[in-house]
């Protein structure tokens, strides 16, 4: 089973990119973030035309998440249960692989936080607390679970192009990294770090100052998996190719392969 995540920074703008990428990379499920369109505008027919199902939680202008999958999604959950939040940041579904093995897949668009100490930063940390509490229950119900998305956290200095320049800033502050570690402490594994990786592999590059060309980026898009699932992960890579396309998202897809029994 192949799972992928991609913050597309407007599905309306980049639907063609998503379709082209899926046809070249026929993953079992692709988790999207920053749809930036309401539910009724979601292009489900275009995805059905290439053989994919979808479930989504849309929002006009901002946010929005989706799971595009070969298998029909089951037991779909929008948002974090019991957490009152108008922002559409979570969609979860159970998917079956070719042998019928169920895997719980969650697409997450974690808050950016804007600036350390701001109201949006406080919201981000509170949101992560709610996510951790919910995931603890989800993991008990679903031993094979993967949560994929834009976490807006670079977990270590190895995930930042210039740690000294970023020190103490948003995406890398101690509190944000502790929030990310709280998810790891649930038993989840950052699948990218299961493997030897070349230095300075990132998943997001600013549009400004030729950041992508200069590889001035951060790794904030992650695929976390429960122990059994992580134990069957055979690969996790960042596909930089779409970042070089015309009018790209500022994020690149991250892809993990799992050998399910």
């Amino acid at each position: 089973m192949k799972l992928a995540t991609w913050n597309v920074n407007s599905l309306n703008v980049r639907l063609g990119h998503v379709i082209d990428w899926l046809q070249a990379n026929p993953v079992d499920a692709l988790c999207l973030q920053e749809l930036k369109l309401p539910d009724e505008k979601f292009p489900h027919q275009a995805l059905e035309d290439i053989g994919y199902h979808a479930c989504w939680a849309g929002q006009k202008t901002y946010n929005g998440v989706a799971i595009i999958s070969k298998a029909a999604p089951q037991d779909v959950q929008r948002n974090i249960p019991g957490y009152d939040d108008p922002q559409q940041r979570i969609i979860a579904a159970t998917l079956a692989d070719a042998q019928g093995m169920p895997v719980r897949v969650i697409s997450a668009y974690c808050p950016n936080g804007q600036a350390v100490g701001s109201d949006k930063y406080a919201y981000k940390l509170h949101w992560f607390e709610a996510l951790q509490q919910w995931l603890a229950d989800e993991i008990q119900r679903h031993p094979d679970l993967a949560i994929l998305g834009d976490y807006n956290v670079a977990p270590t200095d190895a995930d930042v192009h210039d740690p000294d320049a970023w020190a103490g800033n948003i995406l890398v502050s101690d509190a944000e990294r502790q929030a990310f570690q709280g998810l790891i402490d649930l038993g989840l594994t950052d699948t990218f770090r299961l493997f030897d990786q070349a230095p300075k592999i990132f998943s997001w590059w600013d549009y400004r100052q030729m950041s992508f060309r200069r590889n001035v980026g951060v790794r904030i898009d992650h695929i976390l998996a429960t122990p059994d699932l992580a134990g069957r992960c055979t690969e996790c890579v960042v596909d930089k190719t779409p970042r070089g396309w015309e009018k790209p998202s500022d994020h690149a897809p991250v892809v993990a392969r799992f050998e399910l029994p």
Side-chain angles (χ1 to χ4, degrees), residues 185-249:
D185 291 343
L186 293 175
L188 296 171
T189 295
D190 179 356
T191 56
F192 184 80
R193 290 301 178 199
L194 286 171
F195 307 97
D196 291 333
Q197 305 283 2
K200 296 189 179 298
I201 294 181
F202 308 123
S203 63
W204 176 84
W205 303 260
D206 199 310
Y207 286 126
R208 299 167 296 182
Q209 300 178 333
M210 296 187 295
S211 293
F212 179 64
R213 185 180 300 180
R214 296 165 52 222
N215 198 31
V216 174
V218 292
R219 189 179 71 95
I220 56 175
D221 302 88
H222 311 297
I223 300 176
L224 307 187
T226 50
D228 287 349
L229 195 58
R232 299 194 293 271
C233 186
T234 59
E235 180 185 39
C236 186
V237 297
V238 177
D239 182 0
K240 294 171 61 176
T241 302
R243 186 61 176 81
W245 291 349
E246 185 178 357
K247 295 182 179 179
S249 168

Side-chain angles (χ1 to χ4, degrees), residues 86-163:
Q87 301 187 31
Q88 302 300 305
R89 295 186 174 279
I90 289 285
I91 189 87
T94 299
L95 307 175
D97 72 346
Q99 288 73 43
M101 180 77 176
V103 176
R104 189 66 167 170
V105 174
I106 303 170
S107 179
Y109 178 42
C110 307
N112 174 274
Q114 189 179 50
V116 174
S118 68
D119 290 345
K120 291 182 179 180
Y121 182 76
Y123 161 69
K124 179 177 189 174
L125 298 179
H126 190 262
W127 190 91
F128 263 99
E129 290 177 4
L131 176 66
Q132 181 178 343
Q133 292 172 9
W134 172 59
L135 279 179
D137 292 334
E138 282 289 282
I139 291 168
Q140 293 299 314
R141 296 175 57 223
H142 305 282
D144 287 321
L145 178 149
I147 173 167
L148 307 88
D150 175 2
Y151 286 74
N152 272 308
V153 178
T156 71
D157 284 352
D159 301 307
V160 183
H161 70 91
D162 186 344

Side-chain angles (χ1 to χ4, degrees), residues 29-105:
L30 171 62
C31 294
L32 300 180
Q33 300 85 40
E34 279 203 87
L35 304 181
K36 295 185 176 179
L37 46 75
D39 282 348
E40 63 271 18
K41 297 292 186 180
F42 188 86
H44 58 89
Q45 188 60 58
L47 296 167
E48 289 175 13
D49 289 346
I50 62 168
Y52 280 88
H53 301 271
C55 58
W56 62 92
Q59 186 169 359
K60 185 178 180 180
T61 308
Y62 301 105
N63 308 318
V65 285
I67 300 172
I68 301 170
S69 57
K70 290 182 178 178
Q74 305 293 328
D75 190 17
V76 175
Q77 170 70 50
R78 289 176 59 137
N79 300 319
I80 300 172
Y83 183 70
D84 185 16
D85 187 3
Q87 301 187 31
Q88 302 300 305
R89 295 186 174 279
I90 289 285
I91 189 87
T94 299
L95 307 175
D97 72 346
Q99 288 73 43
M101 180 77 176
V103 176
R104 189 66 167 170
V105 174

